[in-house]
Amino acid sequence: MAKAKVLLVEDDPIQAEKAKEKLLIAGYEVIWAADGINAIKIVKTTPPDIILLDVVLPGLDGYEVCRWLKLEESTRGIPVIMLTVKKELSDKISGLNIGADDYLPKPYNELELNARIYASLRTKALQDELRAKNKQLEELLYKVEYMAITDSLTGLYNRRRFHDILSSEFERAKRYATPFALIMVDIDHFKRINDNYGHQAGDTILKEVTSIILKNTRETDTAARYGGEEFMVIMPNTNKKDAKNLAERVRSSIEKNNFSDINDQKITVSIGITGMPDPDITKEDVLIRCADFGLYRAKNTGRNKVEMMEGKDLNNFPESIAR
């Protein structure tokens, strides 16, 4: 614990000089403050490793200084040893109740003071180590949670997270009759791109399409990678007509974009749209099928198109369609 920084708060200059001398001999760096106000200023500008705090001080007494230190987020972790000539149990309890880490009556023994400083610093070091490990654990858990819900290539939510958000939005729409739209986007002839230019070029296109989708959606919308070259966008508080306008912007932006690694070949997408409220859509899977069949219609009528589907239109499509 050598060279730990000790803030000595003592109003008596003679006692302060004696204590400072002993602490310097013991190997500590010592800063002296003669009153509570200056002690707080020092702690703010030059945080010490430990504070030896006299109870009886001019202006703010030691109890008030300790209370301030323990209320402040940046200083509450600094150990405080209260020093006082008061020997009543109630005085000791008062100091401990406001957050003091230890209590030493005056006059104190030099060896006992060093032992208490060492013990407090050791406890602080263990607490700091524990906090650091907890922070690492929190960061690791966040990373694991992030990876569990995120597509590693595009950074969008993955299919699992998409279904969680869709469930919440679907239930909210049913309960409060609020509109929301669902958009399904599929890159046309994506397999041909992979075959002709390689999977690395395909990955680059997926990331660029992601960027275009995000540029054309709002912060309140949820974009997800649903499967290979398929994307989903959930648009809360949006009717199907407004969703179609957005889908047209996405389609047009992708068509006009100059994609990397494919020799200026144009990329297009087909898009299916559906949404709530819709009396014929009573389940989430029906909603998804509706968007999927809209996409199927866009593919079958020439690609590079946007098609809107309602629940009643499902009767005109078979239960399973392969694109």
Side-chain angles (χ1 to χ4, degrees):
M1 297 297 177
K3 291 302 177 184
K5 189 184 297 181
V6 178
L7 173 59
L8 174 64
V9 189
E10 168 64 70
D11 64 323
D12 187 323
I14 297 175
Q15 290 189 33
E17 189 59 36
K18 289 180 180 178
K20 183 177 179 181
E21 183 180 348
K22 291 176 181 178
L23 290 167
L24 288 171
I25 293 172
Y28 298 109
E29 178 185 345
V30 184
I31 305 172
W32 174 46
D35 57 70
I37 296 294
N38 279 319
I40 289 174
K41 288 179 179 178
I42 291 171
V43 171
K44 284 183 174 181
T45 57
T46 315
D49 297 303
I50 189 168
I51 301 171
L52 304 180
L53 180 60
D54 192 8
V55 170
V56 180
L57 295 170
L60 289 178
D61 65 21
Y63 295 132
E64 292 172 311
V65 174
C66 184
R67 185 179 293 108
W68 184 90
L69 292 170
K70 296 304 179 180
L71 286 174
E72 283 289 315
E73 178 68 30
S74 60
T75 59
R76 66 179 53 166
I78 302 173
V80 176
I81 298 178
M82 305 289 287
L83 306 174
T84 182
V85 294
K86 297 181 178 181
K87 297 182 180 180
E88 294 294 329
L89 179 61
S90 59
D91 295 319
K92 183 182 293 188
I93 291 173
S94 295
L96 295 174
N97 280 343
I98 61 174
D101 298 270
D102 206 347
Y103 202 96
L104 190 61
K106 292 180 178 181
Y108 44 80
N109 178 274
E110 179 184 343
L111 294 177
E112 183 181 6
L113 176 62
N114 281 330
R116 289 177 184 265
I117 291 174
Y118 183 86
S120 293
L121 289 174
R122 182 179 57 196
T123 301
K124 180 179 183 293
L126 291 172
Q127 290 173 340
D128 289 345
E129 183 180 355
L130 181 60
R131 275 192 288 268
K133 288 182 177 178
N134 284 340
K135 185 178 180 181
Q136 289 176 354
L137 181 59
E138 288 174 2
E139 290 173 352
L140 178 61
L141 289 174
Y142 174 80
K143 186 175 181 180
V144 170
E145 289 174 358
Y146 177 81
M147 291 172 64
I149 63 173
T150 307
D151 174 60
S152 58
L153 178 65
T154 62
L156 296 176
Y157 285 134
N158 59 20
R159 186 168 182 153
R160 172 185 173 187
R161 182 58 175 165
F162 162 78
H163 280 289
D164 289 341
I165 296 173
L166 182 65
S167 294
S168 299
E169 196 61 42
F170 189 82
E171 288 303 316
R172 191 169 73 91
K174 280 174 58 180
R175 178 173 297 182
Y176 302 109
T178 54
F180 87 94
L182 180 64
I183 296 175
M184 179 179 278
V185 181
D186 185 275
I187 302 174
D188 296 327
H189 302 299
F190 188 71
K191 184 179 183 303
R192 189 184 302 170
I193 296 165
N194 278 333
D195 292 342
N196 292 339
Y197 300 99
H199 289 279
Q200 187 172 348
D203 288 348
T204 300
I205 288 168
L206 287 170
K207 289 188 279 189
E208 291 186 37
V209 167
T210 295
S211 178
I212 292 171
I213 290 173
L214 291 176
K215 284 179 182 177
N216 285 278
T217 52
R218 308 163 301 180
E219 288 186 8
T220 54
D221 300 331
T222 298
R225 186 180 177 193
Y226 194 64
E229 66 270 24
E230 288 184 339
F231 300 85
M232 288 284 204
V233 182
I234 300 171
M235 301 184 66
N237 299 309
T238 305
N239 59 44
K240 284 174 275 192
K241 180 181 177 182
D242 291 337
K244 187 172 183 180
N245 292 335
L246 178 138
E248 285 288 357
R249 288 201 304 272
V250 169
R251 185 203 60 75
S252 175
S253 298
I254 291 172
E255 184 183 20
K256 294 174 183 176
N257 190 66
N258 293 319
F259 286 87
S260 310
D261 302 333
I262 58 171
N263 301 328
D264 295 327
Q265 180 179 324
K266 289 299 180 182
I267 299 295
T268 62
V269 293
S270 299
I271 301 177
I273 299 173
T274 190
M276 299 280 283
D278 188 318
D280 296 298
I281 298 178
T282 56
K283 296 179 181 178
E284 293 167 42
D285 62 331
V286 176
L287 182 73
I288 293 172
R289 263 199 300 145
C290 227
D292 195 25
F293 290 168
L295 178 57
Y296 171 81
R297 180 187 284 169
K299 293 279 189 184
N300 267 25
T301 55
R303 292 185 168 84
N304 192 23
K305 297 178 67 176
V306 175
E307 291 288 345
M308 187 159 30
M309 286 281 290
E310 296 182 356
K312 64 184 180 180
D313 298 325
L314 292 178
N315 295 327
N316 300 322
F317 285 84
E319 281 297 311
S320 140
I321 295 176
R323 287 195 304 277

